[in-house]
Amino acid sequence: MPEDVQERFREVMAHVATPVSVVTGLSDGGSPYGSTVSAFSSLSLRPPMVLVSLIKASRLLAVIRETGRFGLNVLGSSHSALARTFATSRTPEEKFAGVEWGVDHGVPRFAGALGWLACSVEQEVEGGDHIVVLGSVLAVSGWAGEPLTYHRRSFGTHVTLDR
């Protein structure tokens, strides 16, 4: 593919506002893993399903494949520092240091997340340098608040234009 198409694609996608979450997994040995993603979406209401996109080489994807489960911690507008931390290549220990979390349904769950889902892996679909993981929702909880979004390479939140 010509480089100019890739660069223009990247620029166009920067103008698409996306929700931000941290996908988590717990290794068989009990170590937590997590990564910030903006490529996730609801997939189905009946049955409840979501999809998340993870880079093929990620250790988190390997953990999810080992255990067959993942967590989706939907971040609120006050969580931009958390999103930045989990978007880095730091070690899992460094990422989770100072983060209030616990294990729920076999996956790490962040205290204070705007929403949380525990999911079992149903299917994987290869897409370029990523794997799209389709997950069935096992447990869910949510709270009121403003979402964290990513738009034009910056974190922000949604603003209602009309009511």
Side-chain angles (χ1 to χ4, degrees):
M1 177 181 306
E3 191 169 317
D4 66 319
V5 171
Q6 288 180 334
E7 187 56 37
R8 289 192 324 224
F9 174 74
R10 184 178 173 171
E11 284 302 314
V12 167
M13 295 312 297
H15 291 323
V16 176
T18 60
V20 181
S21 69
V22 174
V23 175
T24 57
L26 196 65
S27 73
D28 286 335
S31 297
Y33 288 81
S35 185
T36 298
V37 299
S38 57
F40 80 91
S41 178
S42 64
L43 177 63
S44 170
L45 184 58
R46 292 185 186 96
M49 293 181 74
V50 296
L51 63 84
V52 297
S53 179
L54 298 167
I55 195 156
K56 287 180 181 178
S58 81
R59 177 66 181 129
L60 174 60
L61 180 59
V63 166
I64 291 170
R65 285 174 164 163
E66 287 170 9
T67 63
R69 290 189 176 219
F70 65 92
L72 185 66
N73 294 272
V74 180
L75 302 184
S77 60
S78 64
H79 297 131
S80 60
L82 186 65
R84 281 187 193 89
T85 297
F86 279 84
T88 66
S89 59
R90 296 177 187 167
T91 67
E93 294 80 16
E94 292 171 324
K95 287 181 178 183
F96 280 85
V99 176
E100 189 177 339
W101 67 279
V103 177
D104 195 341
H105 285 76
V107 294
R109 176 180 178 175
F110 294 164
L114 193 62
W116 174 81
L117 306 169
C119 302
S120 64
V121 175
E122 290 301 318
Q123 186 178 351
E124 294 180 12
V125 178
E126 188 170 334
D129 58 0
H130 281 65
I131 297 291
V132 178
V133 180
L134 308 182
S136 290
V137 177
L138 304 172
V140 61
S141 59
W143 300 268
E146 297 301 321
L148 183 64
T149 59
Y150 192 69
H151 179 248
R152 295 175 65 188
R153 299 182 182 90
S154 297
F155 291 114
T157 194
H158 173 75
V159 176
T160 302
L161 297 177
D162 56 17
R163 291 193 176 224

